[in-house]
Amino acid sequence: MRTILAAGALAFACTSHAAAAPDHYALRSAADLARVCGTPSSASDYATAIAFCHGFLAGSYAYHLTVTPVADRFICEPTPATTRAKVADGFVTWMKSRPQLDKDGAVDALFRFAAETYPCKR
């Protein structure tokens, strides 16, 4: 019974905290993704922001691999492989030079960047 009460209290505390904090991780646009991925290491939420960014990048790419037949893929992993951090940093830099894409969808801009940066060589 104590375990159930403790779990309930923890769940309530987490929910209350989440509801009180602004949602910095709602990606409404490409600019939002660039902001999250470009969070400075001095920020109090750096670890969370970078983990979110890397998860978004990895999930988007995994989705691409799942739904796109091999012959139709336009994004391919480079050889040698790169890191999520380098992809994130590259995306942030790419977005800074393309402010006209700020209001585009996060996934749309990410895939444009990836297609330019990591095209498949056939």
Side-chain angles (χ1 to χ4, degrees):
M1 180 67 168
R2 286 185 186 171
T3 305
I4 294 171
L5 289 175
L10 179 61
F12 177 75
C14 291
T15 304
S16 297
H17 175 70
D23 191 359
H24 295 293
Y25 304 106
L27 301 181
R28 294 173 191 90
S29 67
D32 289 342
L33 179 58
R35 177 185 44 77
V36 170
C37 291
T39 299
S41 59
S42 59
S44 62
D45 68 336
Y46 173 76
T48 301
I50 295 307
F52 182 90
C53 169
H54 290 185
F56 188 89
L57 298 176
S60 297
Y61 185 62
Y63 181 76
H64 172 69
L65 294 177
T66 300
V67 302
T68 309
V70 173
D72 296 337
R73 291 183 185 158
F74 55 93
I75 301 166
C76 291
E77 288 186 45
T79 304
T82 191
T83 65
R84 287 186 189 120
K86 286 183 181 177
V87 174
D89 291 345
F91 176 72
V92 170
T93 300
W94 185 85
M95 281 297 298
K96 285 180 183 175
S97 67
R98 291 163 180 79
Q100 72 275 15
L101 301 179
D102 281 354
K103 293 182 181 176
D104 284 7
V107 172
D108 295 333
L110 176 60
F111 276 65
R112 286 173 119 180
F113 159 75
E116 284 182 24
T117 310
Y118 307 107
C120 294
K121 297 176 173 103
R122 293 189 186 5

